[in-house]
């Protein structure tokens, strides 16, 4: 390769680590620097909302294995604060400047915070995205609060509520939409998920939002006032209202970046605000938005574990080998969640579907597969406690199979009966929600979890795992 | 006289998209892998070094090869003191 001498990876989590390893695998033998805002070595996030909160796994045992030596310089504990594309320099919060020949942007996302003026500063109000978040929330749950309030019934909200019930804690979950996970999986599956919540003893409040969080004289959370005026007494609140891309440090750089992510092309090159790819700046992982050939006409941002790994590898390949025969990043999306004792796995993007059909099992049994179609083609499948069937569905989706699919599964229904998947309508109003952000265009992918504060646009995303 | 090297750190991660819950790892290394419910795998990313042989057997036995064991021999990255 005609190698650049210095590559800087901004972001030291899953995508950044795997990109660094892939760069060495691809033969890059120059100087490699990883920049991380957290002081921790790269760790895995999926267990934070499950094994860590339940108390089974301490956060210092979620550190990711490193697949090979990378001989990198690690600048941890200091976030990148700016980039000068012309001078090819990244600035850090501690005042250092790091020169690069090629830069990978892998700064990920953070939890959307609760607004300060609505009680976001109270002691007892948590988010869950980082290792430190998980340590704080784990300690708060272990202290045995009288009731936990979870704001948002997306993937993170459901996992937190599920752990709370496993710990014997009373929990109330509020959700703007009509069913948990509805913006990711639709209301048909969401209604089944509603039963998981209720059977586990969760106090689930659908079709409502939290207006304000209120505390006592010591600044400790005591209660939440909902949009309908009802009050929930709680000492701990978990704001599970989606995520924001960590792109503020790119403001003014000339790159096309905002809270929805940094726009790049199919070969992971970052674009400027006028849509021109920058030859020496790439993006990968949760922070990247890009055109996926399977989903024309829109930019995707996927907060999915496997996307971070795959996009990091693609970006690394293209960074190491320049623009000759660049690789395209076009994997079939896949993600999973564990909550209320069931394993839920998904391939494709259900949120784009116009029909859904139950192809195996039954919704009542908590063991089923649902297939999603769009304009007569199979585009996604969700499997609940049926993890071994999904490879077959993935192959059908990638082959452009017709919908409803012909499977002849022994546990299939007698007759395929496609339904409206019941995704939230784009025009649903959001009265009384203080955290309602500007409505993103429908072509965007606004957040990783079905987001109670941004559910007016169908979320193309579905989870961080 | 040579002394035994210190037990090496053991690190692993499972690609749970690829995992199909066959449970071979749970049989091979029951203190490291477990099911929560029928199909949801949980595991320890940093098991006791004494379980290395069991963990290596688990990784080898996985029908979909979803278990990645660390191969790096470099020390883990540390944040500079002033950044802590």
């Amino acid at each position: 390769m005609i190698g650049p001498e210095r590559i800087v990876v901004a972001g030291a989590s899953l995508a950044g680590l795997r990109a660094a390893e892939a760069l060495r695998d691809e033969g890059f033998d120059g100087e490699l620097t990883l920049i991380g805002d957290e002081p921790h070595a790269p760790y895995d996030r999926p267990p934070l909302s499950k094994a860590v909160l339940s108390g089974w796994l301490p956060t210092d045992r979620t550190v990711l294995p490193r697949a090979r030596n990378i001989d990198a310089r690690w600048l941890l504990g200091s976030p990148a604060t700016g980039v000068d594309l012309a001078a090819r320099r990244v600035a850090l919060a501690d005042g250092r400047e790091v020169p690069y020949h090629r830069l990978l942007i892998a700064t990920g996302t953070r939890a959307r915070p609760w607004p300060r003026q609505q009680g976001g500063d109270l002691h007892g109000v948590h988010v869950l995205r980082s290792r430190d978040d998980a340590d704080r929330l784990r300690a708060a749950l272990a202290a045995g609060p009288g009731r936990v309030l979870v704001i948002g019934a997306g993937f993170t909200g459901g996992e937190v509520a599920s752990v709370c019930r496993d710990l014997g804690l009373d929990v109330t979950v509020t959700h703007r939409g009509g069913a948990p996970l509805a913006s990711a999986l639709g209301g048909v599956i969401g209604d089944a998920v509603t039963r998981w919540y209720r059977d586990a003893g969760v106090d689930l409040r659908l079709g409502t939002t939290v207006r304000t969080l209120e505390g006592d004289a010591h600044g400790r959370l005591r209660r939440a006032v909902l949009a309908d005026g009802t009050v929930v007494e709680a000492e701990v609140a978990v704001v599970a209202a989606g995520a924001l891309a960590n792109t503020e440090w790119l403001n003014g750089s000339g790159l096309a970046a905002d809270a929805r992510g940094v726009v790049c092309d199919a070969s992971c090159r970052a674009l400027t605000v006028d849509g021109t790819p920058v030859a020496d700046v790439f993006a990968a992982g949760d922070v990247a938005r890009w055109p996926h050939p399977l989903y024309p006409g829109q930019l995707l941002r996927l907060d999915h574990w496997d996307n971070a790994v795959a996009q990091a590898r693609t970006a690394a390949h293209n960074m190491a080998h320049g623009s000759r025969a660049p690789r395209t990043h076009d994997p079939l999306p896949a993600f999973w969640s564990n909550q209320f004792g069931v394993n839920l796995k998904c391939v494709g993007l259900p949120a784009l579907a116009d029909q859904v059909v139950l192809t195996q099992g039954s919704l009542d049994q908590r063991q089923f597969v649902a297939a999603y179609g769009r304009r007569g083609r199979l585009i996604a499948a969700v499997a609940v406690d049926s993890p071994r069937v999904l490879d077959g569905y993935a192959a059908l989706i990638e082959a452009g199979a017709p919908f409803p699919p012909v499977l002849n599964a022994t546990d299939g229904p007698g007759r395929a009966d496609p339904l409206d998947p019941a995704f939230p309508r784009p025009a649903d109003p959001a009265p009384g929600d203080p955290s309602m952000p500007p409505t993103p265009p429908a072509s965007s992918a606004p957040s990783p979890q079905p987001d109670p504060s941004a559910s007016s646009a169908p979320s193309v995303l579905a989870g961080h795992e | 006289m040579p002394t035994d090297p210190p037990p090496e750190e053991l690190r692993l991660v499972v690609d749970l998209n690829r995992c199909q819950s066959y449970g071979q790892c749970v049989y091979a290394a029951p203190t490291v892998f477990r099911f929560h419910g029928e199909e949801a795998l949980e595991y320890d990313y940093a098991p006791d070094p004494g379980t290395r042989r069991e963990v290596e057997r688990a990784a080898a036995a996985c029908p979909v090869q979803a278990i990645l064991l660390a191969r790096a021999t470099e020390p883990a990255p540390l944040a500079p003191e002033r950044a802590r």
Side-chain angles (χ1 to χ4, degrees):
Chain A
M1 62 179 265
I2 307 162
E5 295 146 32
R6 279 191 299 267
I7 289 181
V8 169
V9 177
S13 191
L14 180 64
L17 173 64
R18 294 296 177 244
E21 291 169 343
L23 282 164
R24 294 302 192 202
D25 282 341
E26 297 276 356
F28 172 69
D29 59 3
E31 205 176 283
L32 182 57
T33 302
L34 278 85
I35 296 168
D37 59 342
E38 296 179 63
H40 311 298
Y43 58 89
D44 213 24
R45 295 182 199 277
L48 299 182
S49 55
K50 306 172 201 64
V52 167
L53 283 194
S54 74
W56 188 60
L57 198 64
T59 50
D60 60 3
R61 292 174 79 140
T62 60
V63 171
L64 284 164
R66 288 178 299 132
R68 55 162 296 147
N69 291 345
I70 55 174
D71 187 24
R73 182 180 173 214
W74 294 82
L75 303 178
L76 298 180
S78 187
T81 52
V83 59
D84 183 333
L85 296 183
R88 294 183 179 176
R89 270 200 309 265
V90 174
L92 301 193
D94 62 13
R96 278 181 289 190
E97 297 221 322
V98 187
Y100 66 83
H101 292 102
R102 291 205 174 139
L103 169 67
L104 179 67
I105 297 167
T107 41
T109 61
R110 65 182 183 280
R112 184 192 299 274
W114 194 251
R116 179 176 298 196
Q117 62 273 27
Q118 269 87 35
D121 279 351
L122 291 168
H123 184 79
V125 178
H126 295 259
V127 294
L128 180 54
R129 181 78 195 171
S130 70
R131 180 176 154 168
D132 293 344
D133 293 338
D135 279 327
R136 283 187 289 262
L137 180 54
R138 163 68 194 145
L141 298 184
R147 179 169 291 275
V148 179
L149 170 68
V150 178
I151 304 173
F155 285 94
T156 300
E159 290 170 6
V160 171
S162 175
V163 168
C164 286
R165 291 307 298 144
D166 287 346
L167 293 171
L169 299 172
D170 288 333
V171 56
T172 296
V173 178
T174 62
H175 189 58
R176 171 199 302 280
L181 302 180
S183 55
L185 305 181
V188 172
I189 304 306
D191 286 344
V193 180
T194 296
R195 290 196 287 277
W196 307 350
Y197 275 69
R198 297 234 156 101
D199 289 351
V202 175
D203 170 31
L204 177 61
R205 313 282 185 96
L206 296 170
T208 191
T209 54
V210 173
R211 188 189 295 159
T212 183
L213 300 172
E214 296 179 355
D216 60 18
H218 305 290
R220 293 178 180 279
L221 176 68
R222 284 290 172 250
R223 68 194 72 80
V225 181
L226 307 190
D228 60 8
T230 59
V231 170
V232 176
E233 308 280 345
E235 295 150 53
V236 171
V238 184
V239 181
L244 303 170
N246 293 322
T247 55
E248 287 82 355
W249 67 287
L250 301 171
N251 288 346
S253 68
L255 293 175
D258 58 26
R260 295 170 298 171
V262 54
V263 181
C264 54
D265 66 14
S267 44
C268 307
R269 289 183 303 176
L271 304 188
T272 62
V273 287
D274 63 7
T276 311
V278 181
D280 47 16
V281 179
F282 294 73
D286 293 358
V287 76
R289 296 174 73 205
W290 87 105
H292 191 305
L294 273 179
Y295 310 100
Q298 48 195 319
L299 295 170
L300 296 189
R301 184 174 69 74
L302 298 179
D303 267 30
H304 298 166
W305 193 94
D306 72 319
N307 186 66
V309 173
Q311 204 165 17
R313 288 187 182 136
T314 305
H317 174 87
N318 293 341
M319 292 175 84
H321 297 289
S323 55
R324 289 166 291 125
R327 231 175 243 172
T328 297
H329 178 61
D330 57 359
L332 189 66
F335 59 90
W336 61 274
S337 174
N338 293 332
Q339 47 185 292
F340 302 108
V342 305
N343 169 248
L344 183 153
K345 295 182 82 166
C346 183
V347 290
L349 292 177
L352 303 176
D354 52 33
Q355 285 193 304
V356 65
V357 65
L358 198 72
T359 49
Q360 295 182 242
S362 88
L363 295 178
D364 294 334
Q365 284 169 9
R366 299 194 184 192
Q367 186 168 41
F368 61 84
V369 184
Y372 293 78
R374 177 181 173 87
R375 295 177 184 158
R377 296 281 170 198
L378 180 68
I379 63 158
V382 169
V384 168
D385 267 4
S386 310
R388 285 172 286 284
V389 304
L390 272 188
D391 283 355
Y393 284 87
L396 288 172
I397 294 164
E398 291 193 308
F403 180 91
V406 181
L407 299 167
N408 298 317
T410 53
D411 58 345
R415 188 172 61 90
D417 190 14
L419 303 167
D420 178 340
F423 285 102
R425 293 188 313 280
D428 281 349
D433 187 336
S435 70
M436 185 63 192
T439 302
S443 65
S444 76
S447 78
Q449 292 99 28
D451 176 354
S453 65
S455 60
S456 57
S459 172
V460 186
L461 304 178
H464 48 273
E465 281 108 39
Chain B
M1 180 167 171
T3 53
D4 287 340
E8 278 181 64
E9 278 195 2
L10 189 50
R11 296 283 187 191
L12 65 101
V13 68
V14 181
D15 181 342
L16 289 171
N17 293 290
R18 187 180 284 187
C19 171
Q20 298 185 355
S21 302
Y22 285 102
Q24 297 301 306
C25 54
V26 180
Y27 290 115
T31 62
V32 178
F33 302 91
R34 70 177 193 183
F35 280 118
H36 183 74
E38 298 288 316
E39 304 282 357
L41 185 72
E42 289 185 341
Y43 60 94
D44 189 343
Y45 288 68
D48 185 295
T51 64
R52 173 174 296 276
R53 288 188 64 188
E54 288 176 36
V55 171
E56 286 172 351
R57 265 203 299 275
C62 176
V64 292
Q65 293 292 289
I67 301 171
L68 171 70
L69 299 182
R71 293 206 316 272
T73 54
E74 298 165 328
L78 291 174
E81 285 304 316
R82 61 193 168 76
R84 281 172 191 257

